[in-house]
Amino acid sequence: MRFSRRLAAGAASLVLAAGLTACSSDSGDSSASGVDCEAANAALIDYSAALTQFVGGLTEGNEDDARSGATAFVAAAQAIPRALPGVSNAAESFVTVSEDAGRFIEDALSDGIDSQEILDELNVIFGSEEFSTGGDAIDDFFREQCPDQANPS
């Protein structure tokens, strides 16, 4: 099955960004603003892992992996702003787009839509300004509030 280059690049950059941003650290469980850095870090890592799982499942034609990855993806997306109280409203669009993507994957698989068509539509979803802006807001806020996790030494 042909893998969409655009989604591959987007997924790879998301995995890299989450992997670089969300690194474990022994110090700084929370910030003065009530941010739970440890929980935010875990949610970012879970988000990246779920993204990798559903992209891999779709690429390899493994519906079970794609479906479980999509479910985990939504849960991780919802956990990120809960761990980062005070993050800008732009983060809501990141969560909404992630929820839409997860539901789309599950619905499309249930409807028997070809994996390549799902990947093509995900290109559109993840290419949206809302997703990009929201992701940047989360990343910036996380780096500001949780420097030990975001920038480990």
Side-chain angles (χ1 to χ4, degrees):
M1 174 181 292
R2 181 179 66 81
F3 183 72
S4 170
R5 275 188 234 140
R6 187 169 162 208
L7 183 61
S13 65
L14 282 173
V15 170
L16 265 175
L20 292 174
T21 299
C23 298
S24 51
S25 173
D26 292 332
S27 61
D29 290 341
S30 63
S31 72
S33 65
V35 168
D36 186 338
C37 293
E38 190 173 299
N41 190 48
L44 288 165
I45 290 169
D46 291 348
Y47 187 88
S48 177
L51 174 75
T52 301
Q53 183 180 7
F54 80 67
V55 168
L58 290 169
T59 303
E60 297 165 9
N62 184 331
E63 287 188 20
D64 291 338
D65 273 357
R67 209 178 287 280
S68 61
T71 300
F73 185 72
V74 170
Q78 293 168 340
I80 293 169
R82 282 196 302 264
L84 296 171
V87 70
S88 78
N89 289 339
E92 291 177 29
S93 62
F94 173 85
V95 174
T96 300
V97 171
S98 296
E99 290 169 337
D100 291 348
R103 279 192 296 276
F104 169 73
I105 293 166
E106 292 176 8
D107 292 346
L109 289 171
S110 294
D111 292 343
I113 295 175
D114 177 71
S115 291
Q116 186 58 51
E117 289 180 53
I118 297 170
L119 289 168
D120 290 343
E121 181 60 27
L122 289 172
N123 278 327
V124 174
I125 292 170
F126 292 133
S128 72
E129 182 68 27
E130 296 82 12
F131 182 76
S132 178
T133 301
D136 289 346
I138 288 170
D139 188 53
D140 292 346
F141 190 77
F142 179 71
R143 287 179 182 277
E144 177 184 301
Q145 296 296 314
C146 305
D148 290 341
Q149 284 82 4
N151 305 304
S153 49

